[in-house]
Amino acid sequence: MDPPAAKRSRGSPAGPEERDAGAGAARGRGRPEALLDLSAKRVAESWAFEQPFLQVEERFSRVPEPVQKRIVFWSFPRSEREICMYSSLGYQPPEGEQDARVPFTRGLHLLQSGAVDRVLQVGFHLSGNVREPGAPGEPEHLYHVSISFDRCKITSVSCGCDNRDLFYCAHVVALSLYRIRHARQVELRLPISETLSQMNRDQLQKFVQYLISAHHTEVLPTAQRLADEILLLGSEINLVHGAPDPTAGAGIEDANCWHLDEEQIQEQVKQLLSNGGYYGASQQLRSMFSKVREMLRMRDSNGARMLILMTEQFLQDPRLALWRQQGAGMTDKCRQLWDELGALWVCVILSPHCKPEERAGWLQLLGTWDKLDVCPLEEGNYSFDGPSLQPTMAPSPGSEEQEEGEVAATGSRHTVFGRALQAGDLHWEDPHLQRILAGDSYSPSLTGTMGGDKSAFDPQGRPLWLGEPFPTACARVDTLRAHGYPRQALRLAGAIINTLRLQRRHQLESYKQQKKELLQKGATCITNPEGWVGHPLDPIGCLCRALLEACRLEEETLSLYPDSGPEKRKVAYQHVPVPGSPGESYLALALEVALLGLGQQRALPEGLYAQDKVVRNEEQLLALLEEVDLDERLVQVLRKQAGLLLEGGPFSGFGEVLFRESVPMHTCARYLFTALLPHDPDLAYRLALRAMRLPVLETALPAGEPHPTPLDSIPSNRFPRWFILGHLETRQCELASAMLTAAKGDPKWLHVVLGSIQQNIHSPALLFKLAQDACKTATPAGAPPDSTLLGIALELGLQVMRMTLNTMTWRRREMVRWLVSCATEIGPQALMNIMQNWYSLFTPVEAATIVAVTGTTHATLMRLQLDTARREELWACARTLALQCAMKDPQNCALPALTLCEKNHAAFEAAYQIVLDAAAGGLGHAHLFTVARYMEHRGLPLRAYKLATLALAQLSIAFNQDSHPAVNDVLWACSLSHSLGRHELSAIVPLIIRSIHCAPMLSDILRRWTLSAPGLGPLGARRAAKPLGADRAPLCQLLDAAVAAYITTSHSRLTHISPRHYGDFIEFLGKARETFLLAPDGHLQFAQFLENLKQTYKGKKKLMLLVRERFG
């Protein structure tokens, strides 16, 4: 397969073409490179893959020293791209920490500041010193750096900083960049073995002795051991030809790959997984996955090595066993990481250039991991042997039972590695596939006698890719991109899209033949049991990204952070022609294939995560599309695809008939509506209105049936498979809101949209939100309101009121208030209409306390700007409403009705009569007392007295209820009757005696009435000159009742009294004596009472002793 086209990488400062060490200066002077350099470069990088430097020496009897030096010179990496890849984080560090956290940036600064010196290259070994400034007040640090390399790859590094991290430290970066940028300034020597071979015996002995002398503390024991072994004739060291040379490069049997610290990778992944609950940990793990993809694109074998190390740590995550033991699902973040891991393994296994033994080793590892109990299963009911791409596919209308069987047939469960294992059976040797990948001009005329199968091409002669499931075919595209074959990926993507187009054409023809039957049935089977959006292999995303990548306009700026998160700059795209397809561009193809996948009618997968993934994948695709600025060419693509979606029948989510559990199209429709509205409003509305459907609710909730939980979404237990139903309903509401906002000022579309909302949205909470949004849109600040849109907002609000009438919740009050304000915005007639029709909209309490009151406040009247007649009409309507509410619910609405009717005598009298009638019908004493106090406050003491007596007639306070909640009301009623005069007081005394049996309370009332003459209160005229006596009528009856109550209560308390209550009882007797003494013969009565107690309870000696001590 052809190598990828040379292209500047976004993740590295310079490619190999820009920084050939030492050659740039010669080219800059206009001189061509020497043949020796060209040959040496080839040997050092490519030919050396088969014949390392050692084999060069063995093949040729004598290699001249200048040739050896040039080979050694060119064997160091010449591109900063790989250095950057192995020394950058792969994710955007926090602001202000770039220099501190990115080794490449720090190393570049060290190089530019002249911190690198004493650089020496001996064979395939580079060494040097790097000085780094210390912290303020500290001396600078000196680090000795050593680098071994072979065949243009760094194979090992060593630095005195002892930095333990995934990637190279800044000091290794500085030395490497020095060697690349200033190669001619580096002192170059041949491998040390070459130098030693030129020495005689005396020179060798002197060399060894000087070396030992210079480093005797470190090497002396080793030197002595080696000398002993060499002097021993039969030793192992004497049986080996030659001796090792760390500067001579690797042998042919040695692996040739970039240095990767495997231990640090494992430790880092383990630590990040242990912090899996934190957002930063997931981001860093994704960055490591991105680094794997970067290595794969560079054809670096470390990509697979790093992925193996990460997978092993993922499988050792202790949470897996815990989740399995508890039967709980893993977190969404963790599940997403596992999904990405599985997709990466598909790319690795499908590699178009790996060796068979490498693939076999990977498959063996995957097979072992796949059998582990803790290995996560793939979510959703996606098939591993789905239908292959075919030039034709017709719908098969069948019974709903057959439909359910197709959707429910999930087959056996597979782990996240199942698709990678399945990819092991795929290959790239198919002749038709090879021709597709080989060039852009493949057509039937070029097949000749071999492979001239016309079914492999569409009617225009463009190649098709058949016989393979669509997700698998797209996985090939992703693999080609991942391994650095962008042109081949585009060619295969084009063939897949040609196949999809032809398949859709035949689908539409087939649907036209069956359209009448399907429309009569009103339902359809699901033609796509598994959707392409949300699929584990993300086929639509793979195609879109491959096509968009070819159209991206990139600034020629350096970026160390290919995954810079949400703050990355907006991407610009341009039209790039598709070779062999005049008039088409990759950008238009990307838009077409995205809409094809998003608009596919498909069943919702099983499982919470799988359903959530459908939503997330849909949003990711739409985010890609929103980055593309629509020009006239793309608008035409949009219009064409929108028309095909509307006519797509059972194959389209926008078709006329839907499978009842198909994925709704709300999010996709909102994008299409917004994009098409400026260019083709009719098509935009048709598409959006068609997408408003939510079939699962339409079949579960017949027309007219109220929502089961009016202010929330449909409960998930009613639809056990639809875990994301609440989210889908919200998206449906957003689509409706977008249409309402866009239709402002257009009554025709506003009423059409209103009808669709009323038919398709079943959640009152969302309907209320739509009503609020419509009202806000209809009443912009500083502009006249849109009356039609306001009317629609009111209509939606009224619908919510009717749906939630029998549901009491705190949100109802908010809704009622908003409805009144909305009606006020429309005008007085709308306000009076809701007052007149309150029975079907509000409860009596809501109508009397919110609607009537809010509708007649000063602010409302000022807002309406009514004349006197209209204002009185509104008031009359509110009073009528209040009286009706009072009759229906006097307990809660009588007082609001009285308050509202204060200024109208007839209405007030009617309200008062309603209260009196309700008292006879059982209106509670508490409400009667409340209304009585209101009457007193209004200056109607006689009516207050009347209501108080009615309340007392219903009241009963037992002997031990001295803290009864009605105590204050009774005392107020007594005070009122006393202030009115002797006649009213006399009338209330029998009621007091009959209703109150609490001795302290009766005593308290008696004392209050004896303090002043009746009729001296603020509400009564002076009718008596002096206070009433307790021994004369009408108070003598109350005194007798109080004394009798004390006697009864005393006997009752003594029946079950305990010693700890003796003190309280003595205090109670003291209060009783005060009441007894109000009678002329009270002293004798109290003495007889005590004597009776002593005789009756003489067994309670201690208590009787206390009585004698206190009272004699």
Side-chain angles (χ1 to χ4, degrees):
M1 188 171 289
D2 298 337
K7 181 179 178 181
R8 170 167 289 194
S9 167
R10 296 178 69 241
S12 61
E17 293 79 9
E18 288 117 340
R19 288 197 178 275
D20 278 353
R27 288 198 297 273
R29 293 190 293 270
R31 295 201 303 268
E33 285 190 86
L35 182 59
L36 173 59
D37 278 325
L38 292 174
S39 304
K41 287 170 68 175
R42 182 63 178 165
V43 169
E45 62 186 10
S46 300
W47 191 69
F49 276 100
E50 298 295 332
Q51 302 285 338
F53 186 76
L54 178 63
Q55 307 305 318
V56 175
E57 292 180 314
E58 292 179 354
R59 180 165 181 174
F60 302 101
S61 58
R62 181 178 180 277
V63 180
E65 182 174 324
V67 176
Q68 293 185 45
K69 281 192 171 183
R70 297 320 291 166
I71 294 175
V72 170
F73 177 84
W74 289 113
S75 292
F76 193 84
R78 290 163 240 159
S79 170
E80 295 180 8
R81 188 177 179 183
E82 287 87 355
I83 306 299
C84 179
M85 182 172 71
Y86 280 93
S87 57
S88 59
L89 302 172
Y91 65 94
Q92 182 73 46
E95 192 67 29
E97 296 186 19
Q98 293 186 5
D99 291 348
R101 296 186 59 181
V102 184
F104 186 87
T105 307
R106 289 177 53 208
L108 189 60
H109 289 169
L110 289 173
L111 173 68
Q112 293 170 346
S113 63
V116 182
D117 62 2
R118 300 189 65 182
V119 182
L120 172 66
Q121 179 181 341
V122 179
F124 296 84
H125 184 84
L126 182 71
S127 61
N129 292 338
V130 179
R131 301 179 183 277
E132 185 172 28
E138 295 182 4
E140 68 176 9
H141 303 284
L142 176 65
Y143 301 109
H144 182 70
V145 184
S146 298
I147 299 175
S148 296
F149 54 92
D150 177 44
R151 287 166 273 183
C152 299
K153 296 179 180 177
I154 292 177
T155 55
S156 68
V157 299
S158 173
C159 180
C161 70
D162 293 328
N163 180 49
R164 302 289 291 171
D165 202 350
L166 287 177
F167 305 112
Y168 303 160
C169 67
H171 316 109
V172 171
V173 171
L175 181 60
S176 301
L177 294 181
Y178 185 94
R179 172 60 178 79
I180 292 173
R181 298 189 178 187
H182 308 293
R184 303 279 180 188
Q185 301 176 21
V186 176
E187 187 177 355
L188 178 64
R189 296 287 185 270
L190 290 177
I192 194 66
S193 55
E194 291 294 316
T195 305
L196 294 177
S197 66
Q198 300 173 17
M199 296 182 182
N200 58 30
R201 183 190 179 286
D202 292 340
Q203 289 173 322
L204 284 172
Q205 182 172 354
K206 181 176 290 189
F207 171 77
V208 172
Q209 286 185 227
Y210 268 96
L211 181 62
I212 293 174
S213 176
H215 302 285
H216 64 278
T217 56
E218 293 91 0
V219 305
L220 188 57
T222 304
Q224 186 60 55
R225 178 177 56 80
L226 292 174
D228 293 342
E229 291 185 19
I230 290 174
L231 293 175
L232 187 62
L233 295 179
S235 64
E236 183 179 353
I237 199 171
N238 286 320
L239 300 177
V240 179
H241 177 70
D245 181 1
T247 66
I252 192 171
E253 71 281 354
D254 296 332
N256 176 247
C257 58
W258 285 80
H259 170 70
L260 191 69
D261 194 332
E262 298 187 358
E263 182 182 343
Q264 274 303 302
I265 289 177
Q266 292 173 318
E267 185 62 32
Q268 185 83 358
V269 174
K270 182 179 180 180
Q271 181 180 354
L272 290 173
L273 286 174
S274 66
N275 297 331
Y278 297 98
Y279 176 75
S282 298
Q283 282 293 92
Q284 291 186 50
L285 286 168
R286 286 195 178 89
S287 298
M288 294 179 74
F289 285 140
S290 298
K291 189 63 69 176
V292 171
R293 285 190 177 270
E294 190 179 352
M295 292 175 176
L296 293 178
R297 187 177 287 249
M298 299 281 288
R299 317 283 177 81
D300 190 336
S301 60
N302 279 340
R305 285 176 62 202
M306 185 169 174
L307 188 59
I308 291 172
L309 296 171
M310 294 184 69
T311 305
E312 289 173 344
Q313 291 304 310
F314 266 73
L315 287 167
Q316 292 174 18
D317 187 348
R319 294 177 297 172
L320 292 178
L322 182 63
W323 285 327
R324 184 173 183 273
Q325 181 182 2
Q326 295 175 344
M330 63 176 66
T331 62
D332 278 359
K333 289 180 183 177
C334 194
R335 171 60 68 181
Q336 291 173 32
L337 293 171
W338 274 102
D339 282 353
E340 196 162 351
L341 189 68
L344 268 175
W345 270 115
V346 173
C347 286
V348 170
I349 296 297
L350 267 178
S351 170
H353 59 249
C354 71
K355 298 176 183 177
E357 56 270 19
E358 284 182 317
R359 178 179 290 190
W362 297 331
L363 288 171
Q364 184 178 1
L365 275 174
L366 287 170
T368 303
W369 297 333
D370 185 74
K371 295 173 184 176
L372 296 176
D373 291 338
V374 297
C375 187
L377 299 177
E378 181 181 279
E379 287 281 342
N381 51 330
Y382 294 100
S383 169
F384 269 61
D385 298 302
S388 300
L389 284 171
Q390 299 294 341
T392 60
M393 181 184 288
S396 303
S399 65
E400 293 194 7
E401 290 76 13
Q402 292 174 333
E403 300 160 17
E404 293 181 4
E406 289 179 15
V407 175
T410 60
S412 58
R413 301 287 286 171
H414 297 80
T415 71
V416 291
F417 299 124
R419 298 191 181 273
L421 286 167
Q422 187 185 41
D425 298 329
L426 303 177
H427 58 83
W428 298 89
E429 284 75 33
D430 182 84
H432 182 59
L433 176 61
Q434 294 260 332
R435 293 190 184 100
I436 290 174
L437 300 179
D440 298 316
S441 57
Y442 181 36
S443 65
S445 61
L446 299 178
T447 60
T449 57
M450 296 181 61
D453 184 5
K454 298 298 183 183
S455 66
F457 299 88
D458 66 6
Q460 288 76 35
R462 295 173 297 195
L464 307 174
W465 180 236
L466 306 171
E468 198 169 65
F470 175 70
T472 305
C474 295
R476 288 185 183 271
V477 175
D478 190 40
T479 299
L480 290 169
R481 283 184 64 239
H483 287 276
Y485 297 97
R487 293 186 183 277
Q488 289 84 348
L490 288 174
R491 290 165 187 158
L492 181 56
I496 294 172
I497 294 172
N498 294 336
T499 309
L500 291 177
R501 284 173 167 175
L502 188 61
Q503 180 174 292
R504 174 190 261 191
R505 191 180 313 155
H506 289 287
Q507 287 173 347
L508 290 176
E509 292 172 359
S510 171
Y511 168 59
K512 288 177 182 177
Q513 299 172 3
Q514 304 174 8
K515 183 174 181 179
K516 185 176 180 181
E517 177 187 352
L518 288 173
L519 291 179
Q520 287 177 347
K521 184 181 177 183
T524 180
C525 64
I526 191 71
T527 57
N528 301 294
E530 60 176 39
W532 296 337
V533 175
H535 192 280
L537 292 177
D538 189 17
I540 298 296
C542 291
L543 283 185
C544 283
R545 284 188 287 270
L547 295 166
L548 289 174
E549 187 179 67
C551 307
R552 185 177 298 175
L553 277 172
E554 297 192 52
E555 298 179 6
E556 290 296 314
T557 56
L558 309 183
S559 174
L560 297 175
Y561 321 108
D563 179 21
S564 57
E567 297 181 0
K568 55 187 177 183
R569 291 187 297 272
K570 179 176 174 62
V571 182
Y573 296 98
Q574 63 180 347
H575 285 282
V576 176
V578 179
S581 299
E584 290 195 343
S585 74
Y586 288 123
L587 193 57
L589 288 184
L591 181 59
E592 179 180 341
V593 78
L595 296 179
L596 186 65
L598 289 166
Q600 177 197 35
Q601 184 175 163
R602 57 200 184 271
L604 190 72
E606 294 180 355
L608 170 60
Y609 177 76
Q611 293 177 14
D612 186 62
K613 188 176 180 181
V614 168
V615 173
R616 187 167 56 251
N617 197 193
E618 190 176 50
E619 291 172 349
Q620 289 168 350
L621 285 171
L622 290 173
L624 280 176
L625 296 185
E626 286 169 354
E627 289 181 348
V628 179
D629 294 326
L630 298 177
D631 55 17
E632 186 58 35
R633 193 171 175 183
L634 294 179
V635 169
Q636 292 306 317
V637 173
L638 270 181
R639 298 177 73 169
K640 179 181 178 182
Q641 294 305 313
L644 290 173
L645 288 173
L646 287 171
E647 299 168 5
F651 302 96
S652 167
F654 294 87
E656 292 177 276
V657 287
L658 285 181
F659 176 65
R660 70 173 181 272
E661 293 197 10
S662 61
V663 177
M665 297 286 110
H666 308 133
T667 309
C668 175
R670 187 180 178 192
Y671 165 78
L672 288 171
F673 177 77
T674 305
L676 285 170
L677 190 63
H679 311 283
D680 193 338
D682 286 352
L683 180 59
Y685 279 108
R686 283 175 54 211
L687 197 75
L689 290 167
R690 183 75 65 82
M692 278 292 291
R693 299 168 296 181
L694 192 52
V696 69
L697 295 187
E698 293 168 13
T699 55
L701 294 174
E705 180 181 328
H707 201 293
T709 51
L711 296 181
D712 301 299
S713 279
I714 299 290
S716 60
N717 58 4
R718 186 160 182 171
F719 307 97
R721 290 188 62 245
W722 287 68
F723 298 102
I724 58 169
L725 188 56
H727 176 85
L728 297 177
E729 287 185 292
T730 302
R731 291 291 178 266
Q732 183 188 36
C733 175
E734 291 172 355
L735 173 61
S737 180
M739 286 194 288
L740 283 176
T741 302
K744 179 182 177 182
D746 190 333
K748 182 192 99 173
W749 281 121
L750 279 175
H751 285 99
V752 173
V753 173
L754 173 62
S756 178
I757 290 171
Q758 292 176 324
Q759 179 182 354
N760 294 294
I761 297 184
H762 305 280
S763 167
L766 296 177
L767 284 171
F768 180 57
K769 183 179 185 307
L770 277 176
Q772 288 180 304
D773 292 346
C775 183
K776 187 175 181 181
T777 304
T779 53
D786 185 304
S787 58
T788 307
L789 188 53
L790 262 179
I792 284 175
L794 181 64
E795 181 59 36
L796 290 174
L798 294 175
Q799 183 177 348
V800 173
M801 291 295 103
R802 287 189 286 268
M803 294 172 71
T804 60
L805 180 58
N806 298 320
T807 304
M808 287 297 98
T809 173
W810 62 271
R811 290 211 67 187
R812 278 278 303 183
R813 298 184 65 84
E814 175 192 353
M815 293 176 177
V816 174
R817 288 193 182 95
W818 176 86
L819 190 70
V820 173
S821 65
C822 182
T824 304
E825 289 292 335
I826 295 176
Q829 191 57 51
L831 193 55
M832 287 189 285
N833 283 341
I834 66 171
M835 289 183 181
Q836 292 164 357
N837 298 287
W838 71 271
Y839 284 102
S840 61
L841 301 172
F842 314 109
T843 64
V845 175
E846 291 169 345
T849 61
I850 301 178
V851 178
V853 173
T854 307
T856 54
T857 59
H858 178 72
T860 301
L861 297 175
M862 292 296 294
R863 175 74 177 168
L864 293 173
Q865 297 180 349
L866 303 177
D867 57 27
T868 305
R870 292 287 284 172
R871 180 175 295 194
E872 182 54 37
E873 185 181 0
L874 180 61
W875 268 108
C877 190
R879 288 192 291 266
T880 302
L881 165 66
L883 292 174
Q884 291 172 347
C885 293
M887 293 181 66
K888 193 170 183 65
D889 185 6
Q891 184 168 326
N892 296 306
C893 300
L895 184 59
L898 285 166
T899 304
L900 197 69
C901 298
E902 285 178 354
K903 297 180 181 178
N904 186 281
H905 178 72
F908 188 81
E909 290 298 322
Y912 176 65
Q913 189 59 46
I914 290 173
V915 176
L916 294 178
D917 295 343
L923 186 62
H925 61 81
H927 294 91
L928 286 171
F929 275 128
T930 302
V931 178
R933 283 176 179 265
Y934 163 78
M935 287 295 184
E936 182 194 31
H937 178 71
R938 297 299 302 162
L940 302 169
L942 293 178
R943 291 190 176 186
Y945 173 78
K946 173 67 174 176
L947 293 173
T949 58
L950 292 174
L952 284 172
Q954 298 184 15
L955 184 63
S956 177
I957 300 179
F959 71 91
N960 57 350
Q961 290 183 305
D962 46 356
S963 59
H964 192 280
V967 168
N968 289 331
D969 287 328
V970 172
L971 295 177
W972 167 83
C974 293
S975 175
L976 174 67
S977 62
H978 184 266
S979 65
L980 290 175
R982 183 185 184 95
H983 176 72
E984 287 78 6
L985 188 147
S986 299
I988 204 173
V989 167
L991 291 174
I992 295 292
I993 295 173
R994 185 166 59 246
S995 301
I996 301 172
H997 308 285
C998 177
M1001 192 172 176
L1002 290 171
S1003 177
D1004 188 18
I1005 295 171
L1006 184 62
R1007 291 183 181 281
R1008 289 171 182 258
W1009 279 349
T1010 58
L1011 292 177
S1012 60
L1016 291 180
L1019 298 177
R1022 183 178 181 87
R1023 298 181 185 176
K1026 59 181 180 178
L1028 296 175
D1031 56 338
R1032 288 181 297 175
L1035 299 189
C1036 61
Q1037 300 172 7
L1038 185 60
L1039 176 61
D1040 293 341
V1043 169
Y1046 270 115
I1047 294 172
T1048 304
T1049 305
S1050 298
H1051 286 290
S1052 177
R1053 293 183 65 171
L1054 285 172
T1055 303
H1056 303 289
I1057 195 169
S1058 63
R1060 69 174 182 272
H1061 294 135
Y1062 287 173
D1064 293 339
F1065 183 73
I1066 297 299
E1067 293 300 322
F1068 177 76
L1069 287 180
K1071 293 179 180 179
R1073 182 172 62 177
E1074 294 176 0
T1075 303
F1076 273 77
L1077 293 179
L1078 292 175
D1081 57 346
H1083 181 74
L1084 292 176
Q1085 290 185 39
F1086 185 69
Q1088 292 174 1
F1089 170 56
L1090 287 182
E1091 190 62 31
N1092 188 15
L1093 289 181
K1094 294 173 185 176
Q1095 293 298 323
T1096 305
Y1097 304 100
K1098 58 185 177 181
K1100 300 181 184 296
K1101 297 180 179 179
K1102 185 175 181 180
L1103 177 60
M1104 294 302 108
L1105 179 62
L1106 293 174
V1107 170
R1108 291 190 185 94
E1109 289 179 354
R1110 176 73 179 270
F1111 303 105

